[in-house]
Amino acid sequence: MSREKILAAVKQNQPDLMPLPDIAPFQEIEHEDALGQYEAVLTAIGGKMYRVNSMEEIKSIIKNSYNSLEKRVLSLVPELEDIATAAYEINPAAHHLADVELAIIYAHFAVAENGAIWITQDLVGHRAVPFICQHLAAVVSAKNIVPTMHKAYTRIGGNEYGWGAFIAGPSKTADIEQSLVLGAHGPRSMTVFVLND
């Protein structure tokens, strides 16, 4: 059968168009304590969250929590640049990121439903940064916690960005013998600092 006949047969047997489902009820879902929900979910998936009031608190926690400050630390958060050990320059090749122990980034917002943060390339410079580092730390404003992914998609739907990703917790897999392994193919840990402002 020729290509044209196959495509014609497929076109002739298209199902009728169906209306999109009504997602309005999902848009109305709210968590009474979205921040508490976010912390519970992030912790359950292997991440860690700190509620902080200042960048100085974040610096103190990082210095006390990571024995990696003698290794390569990149900060894309300008207020935390003084705890970075190396200047960050955007490079088309990701090889210069191979030895990053800790990367500190901003997140646009976080999602209470699944413990994710939303980032775009303008926050990380190179899209490999949050995936190639050994440990990932993100800073997000407490007022930027949305309850559900429906709200998240509504928030990003009209925006323009070259690249974006939802990241929820450290990388993980349970493919082998149903045993959960953290840090399987990306950061071994993920810490989110929720900044009260």
Side-chain angles (χ1 to χ4, degrees), residues 4 18 20 59 84 87 92 105 197:
E4 287 74 22
M18 300 286 290
L20 291 173
K59 290 179 190 179
I105 63 173
D197 52 2

Side-chain angles (χ1 to χ4, degrees), residues 51-69:
R51 301 178 193 209
V52 295
N53 295 307
S54 69
M55 290 292 180
E56 291 305 314
E57 275 188 66
I58 297 175
K59 290 179 190 179
S60 176
I61 292 168
I62 287 175
K63 288 176 181 176
N64 292 326
S65 300
Y66 295 93
N67 59 359
S68 57
L69 292 183

